[in-house]
Amino acid sequence: MENIDVKDVFRQLYGVPVEAIYKAPARINLIGEHIDYNGGLVFPSTIGIYTKCYFSKRNDREIHLCSLNKKKAVTRTLDDLTKNGNSWENYPIGAIWSLARNGFKIETGFNMLFTSEIPMGSGLSSSAAILDLTIYALACEYNFDIDKKLVSLIAWETENKYCGLSCGIMDQAIIALGKKNHAMLLDCYKYKYDYFPFDLGDYRLLVLKTNKPRALTDSKYNERVKECDIALDLIKENYRNANNLCEYKVSEMDKIKNALNNDTLYRRVLHVVSENQRVNNFKDALVKGDLELVGKLLNESHFSLKNNYEVTGTHLDTITELSRSQKGCLGARMTGAGFGGCAIAIVHKDNVEEFKKNVMKGYSNTLKIECEIFECEIPDGVCKE
Ligand code: ADP
Ligand code: MG
C-alpha cells in the first residue's frame, strides 16, 4: 500500500514512473560505543526500519531530489555538486561527489525520491542509511563495480569530507553489510568483520527513543574525537607508541594516567580502553549464551559513557535507570553517539508489555516528554526491493 502511494507521488512530481526502489535499514550498536574512530571493536546490528529511495533515470544532466520526510524538493545539475549549508541534500549530493572522487562518474541525471521510517537525529543513523542507500542505488543503476564494503567506505568519506562529521566506519559498514538475524563484530582499524547469530532466546531487544530535542551533537562528537587524538599523541610521546587508543590494555591505565597527566583525558581513554575489552567480553558471553553477563556489560558500558566519556545526559540516564529497575530487564544502555537519541534494553518476553508501560509512564512523569519503545527485527543491509 505504502509503495503504491509513494509511486503515485513520484509520478506526479516527475511525470514518469518509478524504475527501481532501494532500501537501507537503521542500525543500533549493541556495545562498543565511541570507539570506532579509535580503531576499536564494535558490535552493531541492523534494525528493521528503513529509508527507501524511488529512482528513475533522466536524459539530461539534472539531479532531482525530494525527501518526503523533509517535504523538500531540490534540483541541481551534475556540474554543480557544491555543499549547501546544512541542508539535507548534502547527503545525496555529497554521495555523488564522493563517487566521482573514487572514479565513478555519473554522466546522466536522475530523479530520486526518499522516504524514511528512521527518525532523523535520533542516533539510529538515518545519515549513514541515506548515504549507503544513495551510493548503492547509483552503483546498481549506473553499473559501477562497487561491492558493499566499498559502498560503506564511499559513504564514510562523504560524511567525513563533505558533510563534516569526523565519524568512524561503524554506521556505514553495518548498514551496508548487515546480515539477517546476526550482529556484526567489526574491527574498525583493520576493517575486518565476523557475523554472530543474535539469538536472545526468551529475551527481546527493545529500542527506547528518548525524543530529546537535539542540540550540539555534532560539535560535541567532534570534540570527543579531538580529545582522543590529543590523548593518543600524549601517550605516544610519554609512554609508548601505538596505532590507536584501542591498542592499549586496561592493565596499562596507570602508566597512561601518568603519561596524560590530565583527568579529563584520562577518563576519556579509560572509557575507550575498557569499552574495547567489554566488546570482547560481550562476544564471549553471547556465544556462551550467558545473557546475565550480556546485560551486565550493557550496564557497565552505559556507566562508562556517563561518568568517563560524558556523552549520555539526563534523558538517556533516566530511561536506562527506569529500564534497569523493571522486572525481567537484564541491562540497558545508550546506543549511537549519545547526547539524547536512543537506548537499548534486553527484557524477558513475558515482561515486555509491563516494561513498556512502566518505563513510558516513569519517563513522562520525570521529564515531561513522551518516549517511544519498540521491538525490532534484524534484517539484511542495503538492497534493491
Ligand atoms: P542520525 O544519523 O542519528 O539520524 P544525523 O544528524 O547524523 O542523525 O543525520 C540526520 C540528517 O541526515 C538529517 O538532518 C538530514 O539532513 C539527513 N537525512 C537522513 N535521512 C533523511 C531523509 N529521509 N530525508 C532527508 N534527509 C535525511
Ligand atoms: Mg548520523
Side-chain angles (χ1 to χ4, degrees), residues 1 3 7 27 36 96 113 115 118 173 182 261 288 290 312 352 371 379 381:
M1 192 62 199
N3 285 352
K7 282 180 178 170
R27 71 96 187 86
D36 60 345
I96 303 165
L113 173 65
T115 172
I118 309 175
H182 287 71
N261 196 21
K288 271 193 232 149
D290 185 350
T312 56
V352 166
C371 66

Side-chain angles (χ1 to χ4, degrees), residues 27 91 121 123-128 159 165 171 214 218:
R27 71 96 187 86
Y91 290 85
L124 301 177
S125 212
S126 70
S127 59
E159 197 146 3
L165 186 75
D171 297 357
R214 200 173 152 85
D218 287 6

